[in-house]
Amino acid sequence: MPRRMTRRAVLAGTIASVGIIGSARAAWPDRPITLIVPYPAGGGTDMVARTIAPLLERELRATVNVVNRGGGGGIIGHDAIARAQPDGYTIGMITNDLSFYTHLGQSRLTHRDFTKIGQTNEIVGSVTVKHDAPYRRVNDLIEAIRANPGRLRGTGAAPGVNWHVGFLGMMDSLGVDPRSVIWVPAQGGTLGHQDVAAGGSDFSTSSLAEARALLEAQRVRTLCVMADARAEQFPDIPTLKEETGSDWTFSVVHGMAGPRGLPEAILGRLVETLAKVHATEEVQGVLRQRTIRALHRPPAAWEEVLEAQLNSYGRLLKEAGLARG
């Protein structure tokens, strides 16, 4: 009899423990969530995160703390997201910089190391020249590059990084050797545009968002955007395809993700919540004001985009002699 009672007690205790664990899981989130941004405060990724975070708080009824983990070109912060416990309490913003690291031999990290929650936006690349440059259309610039190999200077990023890959892809799509342009390294797209405005380089392939202040001050002119549609804020600027027939597009892509292995119930709630807050005017309006394209893709569709970029960007880097991995 005592042995039977002991077994019953054990069984009752087990059922109670399962109930407690189940309640804890069902109660997610019951403590603050950390949203890691792999770049310093004030940049585009940080701005998107801080726009979305308070709306996530409202929907999830939990504090969402944005934490900047800059350094290593985004590698440190991305690594922190990938290595976090898959419990839904540490998530982050990831970018398609993950399409470069392994090819450049900088890190083994790729988009495959993350559980996707959803794409949030893209920042579209452009071809921008000084306001009084002789190139009225992008084809004028391309013809000048063809006619004067090794003479014109392009800029916008460090070699092998975002806007430089945008340049490599554009040249590839137009059948022009990218080595016929002198590439001037720049610490960010804004500085690249500033170098063009100052006459240091002939053109930049940095984003339209980063060119906006100089465009409005009439210090630069954007000849085209590397996008599938014109920018709402600058409808007079054509796309690369409209001008040249090229299908090449390039953007810096942002989205939300967690470490691999997020529980399905938590992932489902995060996916649903992100989609809901992304559709609000609070998010759409802020991104529009910053000349950032609000673009939501659910996990599977975003996964396809990132996988295609990982492969295509790797080919471009290899052909440019920059691949190390």
Side-chain angles (χ1 to χ4, degrees), residues 171-189:
M171 293 291 100
D172 178 71
S173 74
L174 296 172
V176 182
D177 187 345
R179 292 170 295 185
S180 60
V181 171
I182 300 169
W183 188 259
V184 180
Q187 295 301 313

mmCIF file with all atom_site columns, all heavy atoms in Angstrom, residues 171-189:
data_model
loop_
_atom_site.group_PDB
_atom_site.id
_atom_site.type_symbol
_atom_site.label_atom_id
_atom_site.label_alt_id
_atom_site.label_comp_id
_atom_site.label_asym_id
_atom_site.label_entity_id
_atom_site.label_seq_id
_atom_site.pdbx_PDB_ins_code
_atom_site.Cartn_x
_atom_site.Cartn_y
_atom_site.Cartn_z
_atom_site.occupancy
_atom_site.B_iso_or_equiv
_atom_site.pdbx_formal_charge
_atom_site.auth_seq_id
_atom_site.auth_comp_id
_atom_site.auth_asym_id
_atom_site.auth_atom_id
_atom_site.pdbx_PDB_model_num
ATOM 1   N N   . MET A 1 171 ? 27.363 45.770 -63.436 1.00 0.00 ? 171 MET A N   1
ATOM 2   C CA  . MET A 1 171 ? 28.340 45.623 -64.510 1.00 0.00 ? 171 MET A CA  1
ATOM 3   C C   . MET A 1 171 ? 28.196 44.262 -65.208 1.00 0.00 ? 171 MET A C   1
ATOM 4   O O   . MET A 1 171 ? 28.234 44.164 -66.436 1.00 0.00 ? 171 MET A O   1
ATOM 5   C CB  . MET A 1 171 ? 29.759 45.772 -63.946 1.00 0.00 ? 171 MET A CB  1
ATOM 6   C CG  . MET A 1 171 ? 30.124 47.150 -63.417 1.00 0.00 ? 171 MET A CG  1
ATOM 7   S SD  . MET A 1 171 ? 30.283 48.425 -64.707 1.00 0.00 ? 171 MET A SD  1
ATOM 8   C CE  . MET A 1 171 ? 28.703 49.216 -64.556 1.00 0.00 ? 171 MET A CE  1
ATOM 9   N N   . ASP A 1 172 ? 28.025 43.233 -64.398 1.00 0.00 ? 172 ASP A N   1
ATOM 10  C CA  . ASP A 1 172 ? 27.863 41.883 -64.948 1.00 0.00 ? 172 ASP A CA  1
ATOM 11  C C   . ASP A 1 172 ? 26.647 41.811 -65.861 1.00 0.00 ? 172 ASP A C   1
ATOM 12  O O   . ASP A 1 172 ? 26.704 41.235 -66.954 1.00 0.00 ? 172 ASP A O   1
ATOM 13  C CB  . ASP A 1 172 ? 27.729 40.891 -63.790 1.00 0.00 ? 172 ASP A CB  1
ATOM 14  C CG  . ASP A 1 172 ? 27.507 39.463 -64.268 1.00 0.00 ? 172 ASP A CG  1
ATOM 15  O OD1 . ASP A 1 172 ? 28.453 38.870 -64.809 1.00 0.00 ? 172 ASP A OD1 1
ATOM 16  O OD2 . ASP A 1 172 ? 26.385 38.957 -64.090 1.00 0.00 ? 172 ASP A OD2 1
ATOM 17  N N   . SER A 1 173 ? 25.538 42.411 -65.427 1.00 0.00 ? 173 SER A N   1
ATOM 18  C CA  . SER A 1 173 ? 24.296 42.349 -66.205 1.00 0.00 ? 173 SER A CA  1
ATOM 19  C C   . SER A 1 173 ? 24.401 43.122 -67.511 1.00 0.00 ? 173 SER A C   1
ATOM 20  O O   . SER A 1 173 ? 23.674 42.830 -68.472 1.00 0.00 ? 173 SER A O   1
ATOM 21  C CB  . SER A 1 173 ? 23.131 42.894 -65.375 1.00 0.00 ? 173 SER A CB  1
ATOM 22  O OG  . SER A 1 173 ? 23.191 44.310 -65.255 1.00 0.00 ? 173 SER A OG  1
ATOM 23  N N   . LEU A 1 174 ? 25.292 44.102 -67.558 1.00 0.00 ? 174 LEU A N   1
ATOM 24  C CA  . LEU A 1 174 ? 25.449 44.935 -68.756 1.00 0.00 ? 174 LEU A CA  1
ATOM 25  C C   . LEU A 1 174 ? 26.625 44.499 -69.625 1.00 0.00 ? 174 LEU A C   1
ATOM 26  O O   . LEU A 1 174 ? 26.908 45.121 -70.655 1.00 0.00 ? 174 LEU A O   1
ATOM 27  C CB  . LEU A 1 174 ? 25.629 46.403 -68.342 1.00 0.00 ? 174 LEU A CB  1
ATOM 28  C CG  . LEU A 1 174 ? 24.434 47.027 -67.621 1.00 0.00 ? 174 LEU A CG  1
ATOM 29  C CD1 . LEU A 1 174 ? 24.796 48.417 -67.092 1.00 0.00 ? 174 LEU A CD1 1
ATOM 30  C CD2 . LEU A 1 174 ? 23.226 47.113 -68.548 1.00 0.00 ? 174 LEU A CD2 1
ATOM 31  N N   . GLY A 1 175 ? 27.323 43.435 -69.188 1.00 0.00 ? 175 GLY A N   1
ATOM 32  C CA  . GLY A 1 175 ? 28.445 42.942 -69.968 1.00 0.00 ? 175 GLY A CA  1
ATOM 33  C C   . GLY A 1 175 ? 29.657 43.846 -69.928 1.00 0.00 ? 175 GLY A C   1
ATOM 34  O O   . GLY A 1 175 ? 30.432 43.894 -70.900 1.00 0.00 ? 175 GLY A O   1
ATOM 35  N N   . VAL A 1 176 ? 29.849 44.565 -68.830 1.00 0.00 ? 176 VAL A N   1
ATOM 36  C CA  . VAL A 1 176 ? 30.988 45.476 -68.683 1.00 0.00 ? 176 VAL A CA  1
ATOM 37  C C   . VAL A 1 176 ? 31.905 44.934 -67.596 1.00 0.00 ? 176 VAL A C   1
ATOM 38  O O   . VAL A 1 176 ? 31.441 44.562 -66.503 1.00 0.00 ? 176 VAL A O   1
ATOM 39  C CB  . VAL A 1 176 ? 30.523 46.899 -68.310 1.00 0.00 ? 176 VAL A CB  1
ATOM 40  C CG1 . VAL A 1 176 ? 31.727 47.847 -68.210 1.00 0.00 ? 176 VAL A CG1 1
ATOM 41  C CG2 . VAL A 1 176 ? 29.503 47.416 -69.304 1.00 0.00 ? 176 VAL A CG2 1
ATOM 42  N N   . ASP A 1 177 ? 33.186 44.879 -67.865 1.00 0.00 ? 177 ASP A N   1
ATOM 43  C CA  . ASP A 1 177 ? 34.159 44.390 -66.889 1.00 0.00 ? 177 ASP A CA  1
ATOM 44  C C   . ASP A 1 177 ? 34.237 45.374 -65.722 1.00 0.00 ? 177 ASP A C   1
ATOM 45  O O   . ASP A 1 177 ? 34.587 46.547 -65.918 1.00 0.00 ? 177 ASP A O   1
ATOM 46  C CB  . ASP A 1 177 ? 35.531 44.275 -67.548 1.00 0.00 ? 177 ASP A CB  1
ATOM 47  C CG  . ASP A 1 177 ? 36.566 43.600 -66.648 1.00 0.00 ? 177 ASP A CG  1
ATOM 48  O OD1 . ASP A 1 177 ? 36.316 43.486 -65.434 1.00 0.00 ? 177 ASP A OD1 1
ATOM 49  O OD2 . ASP A 1 177 ? 37.626 43.218 -67.163 1.00 0.00 ? 177 ASP A OD2 1
ATOM 50  N N   . PRO A 1 178 ? 33.913 44.952 -64.479 1.00 0.00 ? 178 PRO A N   1
ATOM 51  C CA  . PRO A 1 178 ? 33.970 45.882 -63.351 1.00 0.00 ? 178 PRO A CA  1
ATOM 52  C C   . PRO A 1 178 ? 35.372 46.410 -63.080 1.00 0.00 ? 178 PRO A C   1
ATOM 53  O O   . PRO A 1 178 ? 35.532 47.481 -62.472 1.00 0.00 ? 178 PRO A O   1
ATOM 54  C CB  . PRO A 1 178 ? 33.453 45.047 -62.175 1.00 0.00 ? 178 PRO A CB  1
ATOM 55  C CG  . PRO A 1 178 ? 33.657 43.632 -62.579 1.00 0.00 ? 178 PRO A CG  1
ATOM 56  C CD  . PRO A 1 178 ? 33.475 43.612 -64.073 1.00 0.00 ? 178 PRO A CD  1
ATOM 57  N N   . ARG A 1 179 ? 36.378 45.690 -63.555 1.00 0.00 ? 179 ARG A N   1
ATOM 58  C CA  . ARG A 1 179 ? 37.756 46.154 -63.351 1.00 0.00 ? 179 ARG A CA  1
ATOM 59  C C   . ARG A 1 179 ? 38.095 47.359 -64.217 1.00 0.00 ? 179 ARG A C   1
ATOM 60  O O   . ARG A 1 179 ? 39.160 47.964 -64.050 1.00 0.00 ? 179 ARG A O   1
ATOM 61  C CB  . ARG A 1 179 ? 38.727 45.004 -63.634 1.00 0.00 ? 179 ARG A CB  1
ATOM 62  C CG  . ARG A 1 179 ? 38.640 43.873 -62.614 1.00 0.00 ? 179 ARG A CG  1
ATOM 63  C CD  . ARG A 1 179 ? 39.413 42.656 -63.032 1.00 0.00 ? 179 ARG A CD  1
ATOM 64  N NE  . ARG A 1 179 ? 38.848 42.043 -64.243 1.00 0.00 ? 179 ARG A NE  1
ATOM 65  C CZ  . ARG A 1 179 ? 39.283 40.902 -64.778 1.00 0.00 ? 179 ARG A CZ  1
ATOM 66  N NH1 . ARG A 1 179 ? 40.281 40.250 -64.210 1.00 0.00 ? 179 ARG A NH1 1
ATOM 67  N NH2 . ARG A 1 179 ? 38.720 40.418 -65.870 1.00 0.00 ? 179 ARG A NH2 1
ATOM 68  N N   . SER A 1 180 ? 37.188 47.731 -65.137 1.00 0.00 ? 180 SER A N   1
ATOM 69  C CA  . SER A 1 180 ? 37.418 48.930 -65.943 1.00 0.00 ? 180 SER A CA  1
ATOM 70  C C   . SER A 1 180 ? 37.096 50.201 -65.166 1.00 0.00 ? 180 SER A C   1
ATOM 71  O O   . SER A 1 180 ? 37.285 51.312 -65.665 1.00 0.00 ? 180 SER A O   1
ATOM 72  C CB  . SER A 1 180 ? 36.583 48.888 -67.230 1.00 0.00 ? 180 SER A CB  1
ATOM 73  O OG  . SER A 1 180 ? 35.201 48.815 -66.926 1.00 0.00 ? 180 SER A OG  1
ATOM 74  N N   . VAL A 1 181 ? 36.597 50.040 -63.925 1.00 0.00 ? 181 VAL A N   1
ATOM 75  C CA  . VAL A 1 181 ? 36.331 51.159 -63.023 1.00 0.00 ? 181 VAL A CA  1
ATOM 76  C C   . VAL A 1 181 ? 37.278 51.073 -61.839 1.00 0.00 ? 181 VAL A C   1
ATOM 77  O O   . VAL A 1 181 ? 37.529 49.987 -61.303 1.00 0.00 ? 181 VAL A O   1
ATOM 78  C CB  . VAL A 1 181 ? 34.874 51.126 -62.523 1.00 0.00 ? 181 VAL A CB  1
ATOM 79  C CG1 . VAL A 1 181 ? 34.643 52.142 -61.408 1.00 0.00 ? 181 VAL A CG1 1
ATOM 80  C CG2 . VAL A 1 181 ? 33.910 51.375 -63.679 1.00 0.00 ? 181 VAL A CG2 1
ATOM 81  N N   . ILE A 1 182 ? 37.836 52.197 -61.420 1.00 0.00 ? 182 ILE A N   1
ATOM 82  C CA  . ILE A 1 182 ? 38.630 52.250 -60.189 1.00 0.00 ? 182 ILE A CA  1
ATOM 83  C C   . ILE A 1 182 ? 37.656 52.340 -59.023 1.00 0.00 ? 182 ILE A C   1
ATOM 84  O O   . ILE A 1 182 ? 36.896 53.308 -58.931 1.00 0.00 ? 182 ILE A O   1
ATOM 85  C CB  . ILE A 1 182 ? 39.570 53.474 -60.184 1.00 0.00 ? 182 ILE A CB  1
ATOM 86  C CG1 . ILE A 1 182 ? 40.533 53.426 -61.364 1.00 0.00 ? 182 ILE A CG1 1
ATOM 87  C CG2 . ILE A 1 182 ? 40.326 53.568 -58.859 1.00 0.00 ? 182 ILE A CG2 1
ATOM 88  C CD1 . ILE A 1 182 ? 41.306 54.705 -61.582 1.00 0.00 ? 182 ILE A CD1 1
ATOM 89  N N   . TRP A 1 183 ? 37.659 51.336 -58.159 1.00 0.00 ? 183 TRP A N   1
ATOM 90  C CA  . TRP A 1 183 ? 36.733 51.357 -57.025 1.00 0.00 ? 183 TRP A CA  1
ATOM 91  C C   . TRP A 1 183 ? 37.391 52.028 -55.831 1.00 0.00 ? 183 TRP A C   1
ATOM 92  O O   . TRP A 1 183 ? 38.460 51.613 -55.378 1.00 0.00 ? 183 TRP A O   1
ATOM 93  C CB  . TRP A 1 183 ? 36.275 49.947 -56.650 1.00 0.00 ? 183 TRP A CB  1
ATOM 94  C CG  . TRP A 1 183 ? 35.179 49.993 -55.617 1.00 0.00 ? 183 TRP A CG  1
ATOM 95  C CD1 . TRP A 1 183 ? 35.293 49.775 -54.289 1.00 0.00 ? 183 TRP A CD1 1
ATOM 96  C CD2 . TRP A 1 183 ? 33.805 50.341 -55.861 1.00 0.00 ? 183 TRP A CD2 1
ATOM 97  N NE1 . TRP A 1 183 ? 34.085 49.957 -53.663 1.00 0.00 ? 183 TRP A NE1 1
ATOM 98  C CE2 . TRP A 1 183 ? 33.148 50.298 -54.611 1.00 0.00 ? 183 TRP A CE2 1
ATOM 99  C CE3 . TRP A 1 183 ? 33.072 50.663 -57.001 1.00 0.00 ? 183 TRP A CE3 1
ATOM 100 C CZ2 . TRP A 1 183 ? 31.788 50.572 -54.466 1.00 0.00 ? 183 TRP A CZ2 1
ATOM 101 C CZ3 . TRP A 1 183 ? 31.728 50.933 -56.858 1.00 0.00 ? 183 TRP A CZ3 1
ATOM 102 C CH2 . TRP A 1 183 ? 31.090 50.889 -55.607 1.00 0.00 ? 183 TRP A CH2 1
ATOM 103 N N   . VAL A 1 184 ? 36.747 53.054 -55.311 1.00 0.00 ? 184 VAL A N   1
ATOM 104 C CA  . VAL A 1 184 ? 37.258 53.816 -54.168 1.00 0.00 ? 184 VAL A CA  1
ATOM 105 C C   . VAL A 1 184 ? 36.522 53.347 -52.912 1.00 0.00 ? 184 VAL A C   1
ATOM 106 O O   . VAL A 1 184 ? 35.312 53.555 -52.788 1.00 0.00 ? 184 VAL A O   1
ATOM 107 C CB  . VAL A 1 184 ? 37.044 55.329 -54.370 1.00 0.00 ? 184 VAL A CB  1
ATOM 108 C CG1 . VAL A 1 184 ? 37.588 56.103 -53.169 1.00 0.00 ? 184 VAL A CG1 1
ATOM 109 C CG2 . VAL A 1 184 ? 37.707 55.792 -55.668 1.00 0.00 ? 184 VAL A CG2 1
ATOM 110 N N   . PRO A 1 185 ? 37.202 52.704 -51.968 1.00 0.00 ? 185 PRO A N   1
ATOM 111 C CA  . PRO A 1 185 ? 36.518 52.235 -50.755 1.00 0.00 ? 185 PRO A CA  1
ATOM 112 C C   . PRO A 1 185 ? 35.901 53.390 -49.976 1.00 0.00 ? 185 PRO A C   1
ATOM 113 O O   . PRO A 1 185 ? 36.480 54.476 -49.888 1.00 0.00 ? 185 PRO A O   1
ATOM 114 C CB  . PRO A 1 185 ? 37.633 51.574 -49.948 1.00 0.00 ? 185 PRO A CB  1
ATOM 115 C CG  . PRO A 1 185 ? 38.697 51.248 -50.954 1.00 0.00 ? 185 PRO A CG  1
ATOM 116 C CD  . PRO A 1 185 ? 38.624 52.346 -51.978 1.00 0.00 ? 185 PRO A CD  1
ATOM 117 N N   . ALA A 1 186 ? 34.718 53.156 -49.439 1.00 0.00 ? 186 ALA A N   1
ATOM 118 C CA  . ALA A 1 186 ? 34.033 54.166 -48.620 1.00 0.00 ? 186 ALA A CA  1
ATOM 119 C C   . ALA A 1 186 ? 33.483 53.497 -47.378 1.00 0.00 ? 186 ALA A C   1
ATOM 120 O O   . ALA A 1 186 ? 32.999 52.368 -47.424 1.00 0.00 ? 186 ALA A O   1
ATOM 121 C CB  . ALA A 1 186 ? 32.893 54.815 -49.404 1.00 0.00 ? 186 ALA A CB  1
ATOM 122 N N   . GLN A 1 187 ? 33.550 54.185 -46.260 1.00 0.00 ? 187 GLN A N   1
ATOM 123 C CA  . GLN A 1 187 ? 33.005 53.672 -45.005 1.00 0.00 ? 187 GLN A CA  1
ATOM 124 C C   . GLN A 1 187 ? 31.537 54.037 -44.886 1.00 0.00 ? 187 GLN A C   1
ATOM 125 O O   . GLN A 1 187 ? 31.142 54.875 -44.092 1.00 0.00 ? 187 GLN A O   1
ATOM 126 C CB  . GLN A 1 187 ? 33.815 54.235 -43.821 1.00 0.00 ? 187 GLN A CB  1
ATOM 127 C CG  . GLN A 1 187 ? 35.248 53.783 -43.794 1.00 0.00 ? 187 GLN A CG  1
ATOM 128 C CD  . GLN A 1 187 ? 35.385 52.265 -43.712 1.00 0.00 ? 187 GLN A CD  1
ATOM 129 O OE1 . GLN A 1 187 ? 34.733 51.614 -42.904 1.00 0.00 ? 187 GLN A OE1 1
ATOM 130 N NE2 . GLN A 1 187 ? 36.229 51.703 -44.561 1.00 0.00 ? 187 GLN A NE2 1
ATOM 131 N N   . GLY A 1 188 ? 30.758 53.415 -45.744 1.00 0.00 ? 188 GLY A N   1
ATOM 132 C CA  . GLY A 1 188 ? 29.316 53.656 -45.710 1.00 0.00 ? 188 GLY A CA  1
ATOM 133 C C   . GLY A 1 188 ? 28.832 54.436 -46.911 1.00 0.00 ? 188 GLY A C   1
ATOM 134 O O   . GLY A 1 188 ? 29.563 55.223 -47.531 1.00 0.00 ? 188 GLY A O   1
ATOM 135 N N   . GLY A 1 189 ? 27.554 54.225 -47.243 1.00 0.00 ? 189 GLY A N   1
ATOM 136 C CA  . GLY A 1 189 ? 26.970 54.827 -48.429 1.00 0.00 ? 189 GLY A CA  1
ATOM 137 C C   . GLY A 1 189 ? 26.870 56.333 -48.393 1.00 0.00 ? 189 GLY A C   1
ATOM 138 O O   . GLY A 1 189 ? 27.058 57.005 -49.407 1.00 0.00 ? 189 GLY A O   1
#
